[in-house]
Amino acid sequence: MTLYEMIDKRRSVRKYIDALPDDDTVDKIERFIENTRQLPGQNAWFEIVPSQSVSAAVGAYGILAYCEAGDAAYANVGYVLQKTDLYIQSLGLGSLWLGMGKPKAKDKRDDFCILLAFGKTDVPLRNGASDFQRLPIERISNEDNAIARSARLAPSAQNSQPWELRFEEDKVIVRYVGRGMFKRMLKKKLNKIDLGIVTRHVALALRNEGKDVRSVTAKSDADGFGIEVRWRAARDKT
Ligand SMILES: Cc1cc2nc3c(=O)[nH]c(=O)nc-3n(C[C@H](O)[C@H](O)[C@H](O)COP(=O)(O)O)c2cc1C
């Protein structure tokens, strides 16, 4: 299954089998992260550790993401690790974003951003878009199209879905909008990670539609924080 096809199959997995994924698989995941391009100017770093070395022991391993402080840096981590989340589930494993987890070692906490846990599971994938609890498309987008439908299924902290998509000629702007009971608590970091996550779904869906993604740019302006994704039709390249 392609990563795009995983978008309406993946889920947050909270129940794991007591067995380790094999070392080859863990190596593959490590290489996948290394080979994933980060947003311009961003340099997050990642390590895979046994789940016993993080405060919330879920699954067999945790991917610890580290970055500088800042909205664009947090969004970048979401953008990189959501591709990894889809990849992990395409390998038949389960995964879970864990805003509540952190490294047990205090000296690792300074630049720590977020944790993605993974491991073996027997929880099945979802059957399709109707299995998701999400806001209706008109609450999150000015257009109902395949890109917005993929964005709608993105995971977010507390399922807060803190985004709005505005489609314009050859670009879409994914803008932060606080939602839900915990919006003040989530606003600083977790919702910015969420914006990177949803942008990954947007980029995969654009490619699936035959569009060349030309740039993905995090921006803060008078309207607040957002990510602009520009494309051109792949056929225009000649
Ligand atoms: C940044 C982020 C942090 C999250 N933190 C937690 C967490 O600490 N505990 C948890 O059980 N789920 C956590 N989740 C999972 C969300 O609750 C889940 O993605 C959302 O409810 C949608 O469900 P789904 O992923 O199954 O589609 C987190 C998700 C994201 C994106």
Side-chain angles (χ1 to χ4, degrees), residues 7 10-14 56 58 78 82 85 89 95-101 114-116 126 131-134 152-161 163 186 189-194 197:
I7 286 177
R10 69 155 293 286
R11 66 163 84 241
S12 290
V13 173
R14 297 185 176 85
V58 174
Q82 183 54 16
D85 173 73
Q89 298 212 11
S95 54
L96 180 68
W97 284 94
L98 265 176
M100 294 303 154
I114 186 99
L115 161 64
L116 183 71
R126 281 176 161 134
D131 271 2
F132 287 72
Q133 275 202 329
R134 296 292 190 269
R152 179 177 166 265
L153 304 182
S156 55
Q158 300 279 349
N159 207 18
S160 52
Q161 305 163 71
W163 48 68
L186 303 177
K189 181 157 85 171
L190 292 180
N191 276 172
K192 304 303 166 29
I193 297 171
D194 292 336
I197 292 175

Side-chain angles (χ1 to χ4, degrees), residues 49-86:
V49 298
S51 61
Q52 294 79 6
S53 53
V54 301
S55 63
V58 174
Y61 292 101
I63 302 170
L64 300 176
Y66 304 91
C67 67
E68 289 170 7
D71 293 349
Y74 301 146
N76 174 60
V77 166
Y79 189 68
V80 172
L81 280 192
Q82 183 54 16
K83 194 173 182 191
T84 314
D85 173 73
L86 294 165

Side-chain angles (χ1 to χ4, degrees), residues 30-229:
E30 196 164 22
R31 267 181 279 126
F32 185 86
I33 300 169
E34 274 167 19
N35 291 330
T36 298
R37 200 183 302 160
Q38 303 197 21
L39 295 182
Q42 296 301 326
N43 292 297
W45 62 105
F46 303 89
E47 67 171 337
I48 299 182
V49 298
S51 61
Q52 294 79 6
S53 53
V54 301
S55 63
V58 174
Y61 292 101
I63 302 170
L64 300 176
Y66 304 91
C67 67
E68 289 170 7
D71 293 349
Y74 301 146
N76 174 60
V77 166
Y79 189 68
V80 172
L81 280 192
Q82 183 54 16
K83 194 173 182 191
T84 314
D85 173 73
L86 294 165
Y87 177 66
I88 288 171
Q89 298 212 11
S90 79
L91 298 175
L93 301 172
S95 54
L96 180 68
W97 284 94
L98 265 176
M100 294 303 154
K102 53 177 180 268
K104 280 186 183 161
K106 289 209 173 80
D107 60 340
K108 291 196 168 196
R109 288 189 192 163
D110 282 354
D111 299 311
F112 171 69
C113 176
I114 186 99
L115 161 64
L116 183 71
F118 69 92
K120 285 193 164 188
T121 186
D122 52 12
V123 176
L125 289 170
R126 281 176 161 134
N127 288 319
S130 58
D131 271 2
F132 287 72
Q133 275 202 329
R134 296 292 190 269
L135 293 168
I137 209 97
E138 60 274 16
R139 296 264 323 268
I140 64 144
S141 175
N142 66 339
E143 283 185 22
D144 182 350
N145 57 30
I147 316 305
R149 288 194 286 275
S150 293
R152 179 177 166 265
L153 304 182
S156 55
Q158 300 279 349
N159 207 18
S160 52
Q161 305 163 71
W163 48 68
E164 260 171 19
L165 275 62
R166 197 176 70 233
F167 287 87
E168 298 178 6
E169 179 84 21
D170 296 340
K171 71 175 178 187
V172 56
I173 296 135
V174 183
R175 198 156 278 296
Y176 163 75
V177 275
R179 297 187 209 265
M181 277 201 313
F182 301 102
K183 69 180 169 206
R184 275 164 61 141
M185 192 180 92
L186 303 177
K187 182 177 180 187
K188 192 162 187 284
K189 181 157 85 171
L190 292 180
N191 276 172
K192 304 303 166 29
I193 297 171
D194 292 336
L195 239 64
I197 292 175
V198 69
T199 302
R200 173 59 70 187
H201 282 206
V202 166
L204 288 170
L206 282 167
R207 285 199 190 99
N208 186 64
E209 294 282 292
K211 308 274 199 292
D212 249 356
V213 175
R214 288 170 49 205
S215 62
V216 180
T217 316
K219 292 184 171 173
S220 288
D221 56 26
D223 288 341
F225 182 68
I227 304 177
E228 182 185 273
V229 183

Side-chain angles (χ1 to χ4, degrees), residues 6-20:
M6 288 306 299
I7 286 177
D8 71 357
K9 305 279 183 300
R10 69 155 293 286
R11 66 163 84 241
S12 290
V13 173
R14 297 185 176 85
K15 252 181 63 199
Y16 288 85
I17 293 171
D18 193 13
L20 290 176

